[in-house]
Amino acid sequence: QPSSLSGLPAGVGEALEAEGVAELYPPQEAAVEAGVADGESLVAAVPTASGKTLIAELAMLSSIERGGKALYIVPLRALASEKKTEFERWEEFGVTVGVSTGNYESDGEWLATRDIIVATSEKVDSLIRNGAPWIDDLTCVVSDEVHLVDDPNRGPTLEVTLAKLRKVNPGLQTVALSATVGNADVIAEWLDAELVESDWRPIDLRMGVHFGNAIDFADGSKREVPVERGEDQTARLVADALDTEEDGQGGSSLVFVNSRRNAESSARKLTDVTGPRLTDDERDQLRELADEIRSGSDTDTASDLADAVEQGSAFHHAGLRSEDRARVEDAFRDRLIKCISATPTLAAGVNTPARRVIVRDWRRYDGEFGGMKPLDVLEVHQMCGRAGRPGLDPYGEAVLLANDADTKEELFERYLWADPEPVRSKLAAEPALRTHVLATVASGFASTRDGLLSFLDNTLYATQTDDEGRLAAVTDTVLDYLAVNDFIERDRDGGSESLTATGIGHTVSRLYLDPMSAAEMIDGLRSVARDAADTGASAEADNGEFVRTGDADDASGGDEPGFGTYTRAGDDESGERETENEETDEEETEASEVTPLGLYHLISRTPDMYELYLKSGDRETYTELCYERETEFLGDVPSEYEDVRFEDWLASLKTARLLEDWVNEVDEDRITERYGVGPGDIRGKVDTAEWLLRAAETLARDVEGVDGDVVVAVREARKRIEYGVREELLDLAGVRNVGRKRARRLFEAGIETRADLREADKAVVLGALRGRERTAERILEHAGREDPSMDDVRPDKSASAAAT
Ligand code: ADP
């Protein structure tokens, strides 16, 4: 019984009972036996929804009760606030909770007072780099969804971060929560942890394949779901779940598809199933929800979503704004939305169980693979694990779809009877090590090559590799790169080579930049003075030109496409650049015009900006644009004959152009159309651009050879990105609640600055804000106006005066 659990703050056991936790689930029981509430490290590899969070809570609360401090690492930013809210119910027992999101380059000092801190692995990594003082005080760290160490992009950060935390705090209790994977024992070995592995689930999961007129389940049972001629298989299955009542309610479904577009079209189609089955009351509530979605954003995506939601169907993908994603999740949990069509991102995160999960697409387009690639077993099992709502459904059903007998066989073999794959570390790849080696040296975790290698010995990679030399080999390549770009200094006297980060190296590490991004930016920023001096001279100057020297890393399986290893051409002496500068360092050199597009392109071609792909026709469009705007680019434009580099350049130009549209006040829905992205993507690009420009500004100030005017240009380009406006609106858009559209309307009404807002005729302000009084009042207040009230300008002044 939870109330008999010892070592927790007084009252926690009773509170758990009040929540409906009458007894621990078997995996939780096993975790307690393994000592999770007594400070023991533990790997819990158990299915979704079998109570992993409580295992983590037992560890954290008992650790705090012993006077410690806990860190909970979430896999997605969207989950951080969700977890924080969940843990905040312990505040009545004196446990404080803080979530760390937002800017990378801070040390989050205020978190020192919190008992539980929630953050992503990137954020924790950055806090360590910035010397957050409370890192030393941690006694318990939880890593949620630790199987993501397998992810080529984000896995290495989690791996290195855990290794650092454990190195700083040798007695640190490490609790890793994992989906069921093929090699949980290796993860446990890596973390010196006890292992609890289980297939137990609080409610039964039946997995099957639908083909023809029935679902065949792996347990040998069968359910007739006949599909009429011309009828859609998915629609039939969704209808079947809704028409099968348990406790007087039909069952909801979650449909997994392989692309955003498919999620949208599936949701639209399924309105035919959900719409006619709604009650009047549900219809009213859904209409309200749809209005909220529409009024939040005027994009096509939002309006398509609202149209579907009105009929009880929704789509869910990373292109949605986070507010809308949360709305959809909540309404689904409240059983208002009957069916969600989602991309696989939904499977990884939030708690949205359904009676029936339908895995419609089990293959997904993979650029590197060059075609449709089957999903991993682990991924499909996680999707299926979303089936079955405890307390609501008698069991969960997960159904894969086949349209011929052979596929049905294949699906059984591949997914229903198969075990999930083992996870494999992706650390020994250049992009990952480039950034982590620099940070490890800069934050003092290693000061020699040997020390670095022995630090890397604490990673999962070292635990599972049988190629001892590989990590050292990649590390050496990366050290060369970092030294050539002046981020570290190496000193080879005596036994082990010593390593120190340079001033810029420290800055780059703290800014959380990929060193390759920093090198690209520094080079581009310096090129301004150079170009000004060159004016019309030799285009062949190889100063700072990057040359691809080989492919990133083949063994790592799946790194970002298109990144090779760049080193400076013929620049084995860092003195060379300075020599070059000397020639050009004449007083009369005028800085050439630095435009926003040039800066946006510069940051867009760094590996920290994830790219937009070129679609058909784009190559021509952007090649043309490339020549038209050639003088604006910072650095040398690759030749059209360098296929891969040129293509990358154009893809970055597409991103830069999107950003330029944003700051030229192009409507969001126009942007989504023009670039084939969702409103959530615009937000993502804008946030990334803002961060990178902030970093660029710091670099421009700190490195030698960058003109002062360039610093100013970077700052302005960044501010315009922040608000999405032309220069003349910067002042206005900075007022809270104004935003890009309202700023433009105010400007057109003759109110051009914050100061104007304080003086302006209220009726004009109200007119520009389309009569929204509350908004107008808030804006005036934020602009510092003494009498923001709109009472005196109400159009029906006399009527309201009579009423009061
Ligand atoms: P996981 O993290 O493993 O996916 P969760 O921790 O979110 O699963 O748990 C799923 C649900 O089960 C939650 O709503 C939680 O409150 C509930 N739950 C967890 N443990 C118990 C228990 N011992 N008894 C009853 N309900 C529980």
Side-chain angles (χ1 to χ4, degrees), residues 20-142:
V21 179
E23 54 186 354
L24 294 181
Y25 287 158
Q28 295 165 342
E29 193 78 54
V32 171
E33 268 161 38
V36 81
D38 303 311
E40 292 293 331
S41 290
L42 179 84
V43 171
V46 292
T48 335
S50 45
K52 289 192 285 285
T53 311
L54 183 55
I55 295 180
E57 289 176 309
L58 294 177
M60 296 193 294
L61 292 173
S62 61
S63 196
I64 291 163
E65 184 64 8
R66 291 190 299 272
K69 186 180 181 73
L71 172 66
Y72 191 99
I73 304 178
V74 287
L76 294 170
R77 228 205 282 189
L79 284 177
S81 45
E82 189 180 301
K83 284 294 170 193
K84 174 178 175 261
T85 313
E86 207 173 334
F87 300 149
E88 266 167 358
R89 70 192 200 283
W90 304 120
E91 293 201 329
E92 66 172 294
F93 304 102
V95 174
T96 54
V97 186
V99 60
S100 175
T101 48
N103 270 343
Y104 281 132
E105 66 275 33
S106 82
D107 68 4
E109 207 184 316
W110 65 280
L111 291 168
T113 61
R114 302 301 149 119
D115 298 317
I116 298 178
I117 294 163
V118 183
T120 60
S121 50
E122 286 76 15
K123 184 69 210 187
V124 180
D125 184 13
S126 148
L127 287 163
I128 296 174
R129 294 177 185 205
N130 286 283
W134 48 266
I135 293 283
D136 297 357
D137 303 335
L138 292 174
T139 52
C140 175
V141 57
V142 178

